[in-house]
Amino acid sequence: MTTTISSSPALLAVDGLGIQVNGRHLLRDIAFTLQPGEALALVGESGAGKSLLAQAIMGNLPPALKATGSITIEGTTTRADDAAARRALWGRRLALLPQEPSLALNPLTRLAPQLAEVHALLHGQGWPQAKGLAQAQLAAAGLGEATQHYPWQLSGGMAQRAVAAITLAGGAQVLMVDEPTKGLDAHWRDRTIDLFRGVLAAGGCLLTITHDLAVAQALGGKVIVLREGQVVEHGDIATVATRPSHPFTRQLLAADPARWDAFAAPTPGDTVVRARGIAKSYGGRSLFAAMDLDLHAGERIAVQGPSGTGKSTLGNVLLGLLVPDTGSVQRAPQLRPHAFQKLYQDPVSSFAPHASLAQSLRDAARLHGHAWAAVLQRLQQLRIPESLLARRPEQVSGGELQRIALARVLLAQPALLFADEPTSRLDPITQQEALGVLLAAVRETGAALMLVTHDEHIAAAVGTRTLDFSANARAAMPRAPAAAGVLHNAAP
């Protein structure tokens, strides 16, 4: 059923929105209104239902979930469970930047044609003009050299920017963005925020799902704090951020990584990996060159730098997943075959899509000789209920899947763990808890940890050394790293 209310100035109004599955409430009685130029941030614990709320507004909830309440877009009201009634608005008037870019991009189509399709199909541009617009917009997003790449050839941050460009190209006035700055360095985070400000300045409205309260404050407007599917606090973001009224909001703010104390420094042990003169290029572009690096048992190296500069590629070379163009990598010969592990930036792509999470974890436990009780104990430490394990990977939140991936990789008891943005989908409270579990595990086993993060505060709290991939660091620092302190890769 559709009702038109022509006098309503709101671009988006949500009234009594709830989501249930098998009689269990995932979201309860959510209501808000957004006028032209208004922004609303949704913050809260991982798995609280934030992404489900956006999917319900779009009308693309999984079939097993039932929505109640109503959605009003530009004066037209539809039942929340009438997904078909809003489908015609997709892209043109209603758009969602999803949390997982790997699921949003077509893996079999190059990047520029995917963006050009938006201009051709939504705006009626001729194909030559659509291609030209796509090239220009990708260049503005720092992807000018990647226009003919396939999605699987992009770094996580590059894919995030690509999906943002495609989403914004539709020109929808009602824009929802789900964790839009995860995997982005400070430069591109700020550029992305400016793009969203442009949507507001043009008379659109913005619903932002984020764990980064600094992003919410930069966008301004209102905030809703969710916990266990219910609103625990709402109001102006400036007021809530400085004078929170609910204990959970205060806990969320107190857990900001900027307020963390540094984790205790370990005592480095024997060499686990030794790299000499390693270099790697991709698509004719040098990512890193003539790098020397020693990794010792127990130490923690924070890896930082802009998106697409080779951080993940370095990990793949050190783990033996890629062969360096030049140089050599030696791994301690006494280590087990599974001693080198990677915690992937995109957790969805690291799980078998059609297997239950329980099956994936049971397979890993069997491979590494662990009892199922030990798996459940680790999940309990990470606040993952056993009931989630009956689901497939796409049926849990990004933050829940990220923690399950952490539990799985720790079953291998790695000697070297390359953790690529392992907490990027987690709220600050869960970030701190998950990293505490991770560091306790590597301390117990004496593993070396390489942690890729764009959060300078997490890097400072966790890392005992820092490997900096920024252009200034590469240009200024020597080729060979010191045995301790700050490591730098050499300039190409």
Side-chain angles (χ1 to χ4, degrees), residues 11-12 54 56-59 71 73-74 86-96 167 170-176:
L11 288 177
L12 173 64
I57 294 171
M58 284 296 291
I71 311 291
I73 297 173
E74 297 182 12
R86 297 186 293 282
R87 189 174 295 270
L89 307 179
W90 287 8
R92 296 176 175 86
R93 294 165 60 191
L94 174 65
L96 171 63
T167 304
Q173 283 201 300
V174 179
L175 177 63
M176 299 181 290

Side-chain angles (χ1 to χ4, degrees), residues 307-440:
S307 305
T309 52
K311 302 183 297 296
S312 298
T313 300
L314 172 64
N316 290 338
V317 169
L318 295 175
L319 294 171
L321 300 174
L322 285 177
V323 177
D325 296 338
T326 62
S328 63
V329 178
Q330 294 178 308
R331 302 173 189 87
Q334 74 275 14
L335 297 175
R336 297 169 291 106
H338 299 106
F340 298 89
Q341 292 289 327
K342 181 175 182 179
L343 191 56
Y344 285 82
Q345 182 177 9
D346 177 11
V348 172
S349 64
S350 71
F351 282 86
H354 301 298
S356 71
L357 294 167
Q359 185 61 56
S360 293
L361 288 175
R362 286 186 184 278
D363 289 345
R366 187 181 309 112
L367 176 65
H368 300 296
H370 291 281
W372 182 242
V375 178
L376 295 181
Q377 183 179 14
R378 181 72 77 190
L379 292 172
Q380 186 178 29
Q381 292 175 334
L382 294 165
R383 290 197 292 121
I384 294 294
E386 187 178 359
S387 59
L388 285 185
L389 302 184
R391 303 181 191 178
R392 294 191 300 275
E394 79 278 3
Q395 294 174 323
V396 300
S397 75
E400 288 166 338
L401 193 61
Q402 203 158 37
R403 283 175 281 163
I404 294 169
L406 173 56
R408 183 180 61 175
V409 79
L410 291 178
L411 290 172
Q413 295 182 304
L416 169 62
L417 175 57
F418 188 87
D420 199 347
E421 297 281 3
T423 62
S424 61
R425 292 157 174 80
L426 303 181
D427 64 86
I429 298 170
T430 312
Q431 272 188 334
Q432 195 170 31
E433 292 173 348
L435 282 173
V437 171
L438 171 59
L439 296 186

Side-chain angles (χ1 to χ4, degrees), residues 4 30 71 83 92 108 135-136 159 174 196 221 225 240 247 265 295 310 332 345 384 392 401 407 409 455 471:
T4 300
I30 307 296
I71 311 291
R92 296 176 175 86
L108 302 179
Q135 295 280 351
V174 179
F196 296 152
V225 182
V240 172
L295 301 178
Q345 182 177 9
I384 294 294
R392 294 191 300 275
L401 193 61
V409 79
D455 191 315

Side-chain angles (χ1 to χ4, degrees), residues 123-481:
H123 303 304
Q125 302 282 359
W127 192 247
Q129 187 175 3
K131 288 197 295 184
L133 288 169
Q135 295 280 351
Q137 289 171 339
L138 290 173
L143 299 170
E145 296 181 358
T147 59
Q148 295 306 306
H149 284 17
Y150 290 100
W152 45 267
Q153 295 175 303
L154 305 176
S155 73
M158 293 168 73
Q160 188 76 34
R161 283 181 271 146
V163 175
I166 293 170
T167 304
L168 289 167
Q173 283 201 300
V174 179
L175 177 63
M176 299 181 290
V177 294
D178 195 348
E179 298 288 4
T181 59
K182 70 177 185 306
L184 299 184
D185 57 77
H187 169 76
W188 288 110
R189 180 191 62 218
D190 293 344
R191 286 283 298 271
T192 300
I193 290 170
D194 285 342
L195 289 174
F196 296 152
R197 287 174 175 155
V199 172
L200 298 173
C205 67
L206 179 69
L207 173 63
T208 304
I209 297 167
T210 182
H211 71 263
D212 191 335
L213 291 170
V215 170
Q217 290 176 272
L219 290 169
K222 298 177 286 188
V223 64
I224 287 176
V225 182
L226 283 177
R227 188 181 192 192
E228 296 179 350
Q230 299 187 74
V231 176
V232 297
E233 186 162 357
H234 63 89
D236 179 79
I237 179 62
T239 301
V240 172
T242 55
R243 297 189 300 277
S245 61
H246 193 276
F248 175 72
T249 311
R250 292 195 290 269
Q251 185 184 5
L252 203 62
L253 291 166
D256 188 299
R259 304 185 181 189
W260 293 4
D261 293 328
F263 290 91
T267 301
D270 295 337
T271 300
V272 176
V273 174
R274 173 168 293 162
R276 290 292 179 265
I278 59 171
K280 193 67 182 177
S281 298
Y282 188 80
R285 182 171 65 93
S286 176
L287 296 177
F288 51 86
M291 181 189 291
D292 293 346
L293 182 62
D294 288 345
L295 301 178
H296 299 91
E299 72 172 334
R300 306 190 300 258
I301 298 178
V303 185
Q304 293 201 277
S307 305
T309 52
K311 302 183 297 296
S312 298
T313 300
L314 172 64
N316 290 338
V317 169
L318 295 175
L319 294 171
L321 300 174
L322 285 177
V323 177
D325 296 338
T326 62
S328 63
V329 178
Q330 294 178 308
R331 302 173 189 87
Q334 74 275 14
L335 297 175
R336 297 169 291 106
H338 299 106
F340 298 89
Q341 292 289 327
K342 181 175 182 179
L343 191 56
Y344 285 82
Q345 182 177 9
D346 177 11
V348 172
S349 64
S350 71
F351 282 86
H354 301 298
S356 71
L357 294 167
Q359 185 61 56
S360 293
L361 288 175
R362 286 186 184 278
D363 289 345
R366 187 181 309 112
L367 176 65
H368 300 296
H370 291 281
W372 182 242
V375 178
L376 295 181
Q377 183 179 14
R378 181 72 77 190
L379 292 172
Q380 186 178 29
Q381 292 175 334
L382 294 165
R383 290 197 292 121
I384 294 294
E386 187 178 359
S387 59
L388 285 185
L389 302 184
R391 303 181 191 178
R392 294 191 300 275
E394 79 278 3
Q395 294 174 323
V396 300
S397 75
E400 288 166 338
L401 193 61
Q402 203 158 37
R403 283 175 281 163
I404 294 169
L406 173 56
R408 183 180 61 175
V409 79
L410 291 178
L411 290 172
Q413 295 182 304
L416 169 62
L417 175 57
F418 188 87
D420 199 347
E421 297 281 3
T423 62
S424 61
R425 292 157 174 80
L426 303 181
D427 64 86
I429 298 170
T430 312
Q431 272 188 334
Q432 195 170 31
E433 292 173 348
L435 282 173
V437 171
L438 171 59
L439 296 186
V442 299
R443 184 168 59 246
E444 179 183 332
T445 61
L449 173 66
M450 294 190 75
L451 177 75
V452 179
T453 178
H454 287 295
D455 191 315
E456 61 184 14
H457 303 296
I458 291 178
V462 174
T464 52
R465 296 196 281 169
T466 300
L467 180 59
D468 191 346
F469 272 71
S470 66
N472 291 339
R474 289 197 295 175
M477 295 298 167
R479 174 175 179 266

